[in-house]
């Protein structure tokens, strides 16, 4: 049975858009705690999915977000990339030539009373889509990789993705770390077992839609297109590295435009840095064949993968004009639709536990879903 709880929205939430959900009885979010320690995790997925993001007041437009102790050991802070242009209002030449339309890469501190203070800001790429936090240079301070896809309309020229590499707390060097591409998805973990975090990215401008960027331990990465088998379509846009079958080996889950033939799949890892010798296809939902986010939870012993699915081009209401939430049981292989709503689509989901149940919550509102 599906469940939707629409709680009382706290004043710190800046927006209520992003996927609503109806019915259910109100519940009150946990009270403010006295301290919010910054814990760094070993994968970019765990970093983003393990924080109480209600605290930050993220909006549906904050598509590239990262969390960690960027300024001081044990101090909670966050990174957000703010977009400043729209293809509906700025043409390609204007958007790319005038820096006012480039994104702002911002670092913020947040104290135990949830007071936020901007620490620094620098101009970044034109279209940031996902921020991946990991200690890429192993200096004890988290770094940020930002997947960028460039002008989001024809002719889709792409752009280079960015790295903010730490040089001590609060000091970051901004650099380009990829060729020009349409980088929509990214995720990090040590996939070659050398102790340094590597990246897996999606790039829809080349012959291989998903590939690895292997950390060279000096702030640079080398493309490796040999580690993922079974990619037969360029329509992949979202990826996550995490262990989905509890065998102690990192797996890769990938999705995108299913309506073009890009099946949403789990590519199981062999523990040696390659993926896809065995795989599982996750069922599609008609008219909801776009996958933008994955969230893994264990709810009362049940291992579940939640998928955020905006409407695709086969729905009469139009591309991205609404969204559905899918629950996929990793043990039984059974799929369920939890909610289906026209309006603002949801960018990111995060795990949440409430009233003894673990489910998911959009970052841009406080609606709790579980199955």
């Amino acid at each position: 049975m599906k469940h939707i709880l629409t709680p009382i929205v706290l004043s710190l939430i800046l927006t209520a858009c992003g996927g609503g959900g109806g019915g259910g009885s109100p519940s009150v979010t946990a009270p403010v705690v006295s301290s919010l320690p910054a814990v760094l995790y070993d994968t970019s997925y765990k970093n983003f999915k393990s924080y109480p993001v209600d605290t930050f007041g993220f909006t549906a437009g904050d598509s590239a977000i990262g969390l960690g102790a960027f300024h001081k050991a044990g101090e909670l802070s966050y990174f957000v990339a703010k977009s400043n242009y729209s293809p509906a209002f700025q043409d390609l030449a204007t958007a790319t030539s005038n820096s006012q339309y480039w994104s702002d890469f911002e670092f913020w501190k947040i104290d135990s009373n949830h007071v936020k203070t901007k620490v620094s800001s620098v101009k970044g790429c034109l279209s940031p889509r996902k921020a991946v936090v990991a200690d890429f240079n192993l200096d004890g301070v988290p770094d940020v990789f930002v997947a960028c896809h460039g002008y989001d309309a024809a002719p889709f020229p792409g752009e280079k993705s960015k790295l903010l590499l730490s040089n001590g707390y609060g000091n970051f060097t901004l650099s380009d770390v990829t060729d020009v591409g349409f980088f929509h998805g990214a995720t990090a973990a040590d996939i070659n077992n050398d102790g340094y975090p590597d990246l897996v990215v999606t790039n829809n401008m080349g012959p291989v839609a998903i590939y690895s960027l292997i950390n060279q331990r000096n702030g640079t990465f080398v493309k490796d297109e040999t580690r993922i088998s079974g990619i037969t379509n360029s329509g992949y846009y979202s990826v996550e590295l995490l262990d989905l079958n509890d065998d102690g080996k990192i797996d890769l889950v990938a999705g995108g435009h299913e309506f073009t033939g890009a099946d949403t799949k789990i590519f199981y890892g062999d523990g040696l840095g390659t993926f896809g010798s065995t795989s599982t296809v996750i069922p599609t939902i008609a008219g909801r064949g776009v996958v933008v986010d994955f969230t893994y939870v264990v709810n009362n012993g049940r291992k579940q993968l939640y998928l955020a699915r905006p409407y695709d081009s086969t729905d009469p209401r139009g591309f991205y004009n609404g969204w559905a939430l899918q629950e996929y049981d990793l043990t039984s292989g059974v799929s369920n639709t939890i909610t289906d709503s026209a309006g603002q689509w949801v960018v990111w989901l995060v795990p949440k536990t409430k009233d003894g149940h673990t489910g998911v919550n959009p970052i841009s509102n406080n609606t709790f879903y579980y199955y």
Side-chain angles (χ1 to χ4, degrees):
M1 181 180 295
K2 65 182 179 180
H3 303 267
I4 304 171
L5 296 179
T6 307
I8 299 169
V9 180
L10 300 182
S11 61
L12 60 88
I13 302 298
L14 300 185
T15 180
C17 67
S25 58
S27 61
V28 180
T29 301
V32 173
V33 294
S34 59
S35 63
L36 292 168
V39 180
L40 302 182
Y41 294 94
D42 58 348
T43 69
S44 58
Y45 175 87
K46 289 183 179 179
N47 173 276
F48 180 60
K49 299 286 185 173
S50 300
Y51 276 78
V53 296
D54 297 6
T55 301
F56 300 89
F58 291 134
T59 72
D62 296 334
S63 59
I65 302 160
L67 307 157
F70 296 113
H71 305 101
K72 181 181 178 182
E75 181 181 68
L76 187 57
S77 51
Y78 67 92
F79 167 88
V80 60
K82 300 280 190 180
S83 296
N84 292 313
Y85 89 103
S86 169
F89 300 104
Q90 287 84 37
D91 60 25
L92 174 61
T94 300
T96 55
S97 64
N98 191 331
S99 62
Q100 71 173 304
Y101 298 117
W102 305 348
S103 64
D104 293 309
F105 286 1
E106 300 176 351
F107 285 100
W108 292 71
K109 291 182 180 179
I110 182 166
D111 66 19
S112 59
N113 294 316
H114 295 188
V115 175
K116 298 176 290 186
T117 304
K118 186 192 296 187
V119 177
S120 61
S121 179
V122 65
K123 284 296 181 180
C125 58
L126 182 65
S127 295
R129 178 56 180 84
K130 187 175 183 182
V132 172
V133 175
D135 186 3
F136 291 112
N137 58 358
L138 296 189
D139 67 348
V141 183
D143 313 299
V144 186
F145 171 85
V146 184
C148 304
H149 59 66
Y151 192 73
D152 200 15
F156 297 101
E159 65 181 327
K160 296 180 179 180
S161 292
K162 304 288 187 179
L163 179 68
L164 289 145
L165 192 68
S166 60
N167 181 23
Y169 284 107
N171 299 315
F172 295 88
T173 300
L174 179 66
S175 63
D176 298 329
V177 288
T178 64
D179 297 329
V180 172
F182 196 94
F183 296 96
H184 191 275
T187 182
D190 178 15
I191 64 175
N192 64 349
N193 301 313
D194 69 349
Y196 283 76
D198 308 296
L199 291 155
V200 173
V201 297
T202 65
N203 178 10
N204 306 100
M205 289 183 65
V208 179
I210 307 175
Y211 54 79
S212 303
L213 296 173
I214 301 302
N215 194 336
Q216 301 301 293
R217 311 182 189 185
N218 60 2
T220 65
F221 297 82
V222 171
K223 181 193 297 186
D224 187 338
E225 298 179 340
T226 68
R227 293 179 177 270
I228 306 163
S229 59
I231 302 295
T232 58
N233 187 286
S234 63
Y236 285 95
Y237 292 84
S238 302
V239 286
E240 292 290 358
L241 288 165
L242 62 168
D243 184 2
L244 289 175
N245 58 356
D246 288 332
D247 64 353
K249 302 171 184 176
I250 297 173
D251 308 309
L252 175 71
V253 59
H257 290 180
E258 294 171 337
F259 61 97
T260 69
D263 292 335
T264 300
K265 296 175 69 173
I266 301 170
F267 300 85
Y268 295 105
D270 62 1
L272 302 174
T274 60
F275 307 88
S277 60
T278 59
S279 62
T280 296
V281 175
I282 296 174
T284 190
I285 298 176
R288 315 294 182 258
V290 177
V291 176
V292 295
D293 192 27
F294 303 97
T295 303
Y296 171 66
V297 305
V298 179
N299 182 29
N300 295 318
R302 296 178 59 230
K303 299 169 184 175
Q304 303 168 296
L305 191 67
Y306 285 88
L307 293 77
R309 291 177 166 273
Y311 292 0
D312 64 36
S313 59
T314 69
D315 188 277
R317 282 162 289 195
F319 202 38
Y320 278 74
N321 286 317
W323 79 292
L325 176 64
Q326 179 185 22
E327 179 264 350
Y328 177 73
D329 190 303
L330 288 159
T331 302
S332 68
V334 174
S335 170
N336 296 284
T337 301
I338 308 304
T339 189
D340 194 319
S341 173
Q344 176 66 50
W345 60 282
V346 167
V347 182
W348 302 117
L349 300 165
V350 290
K352 179 171 284 189
T353 298
K354 185 175 294 186
D355 299 329
H357 298 283
T358 301
V360 293
N361 194 127
I363 66 160
S364 54
N365 66 58
N366 212 21
T367 304
F368 175 60
Y369 304 94
Y370 76 94
Y371 189 90

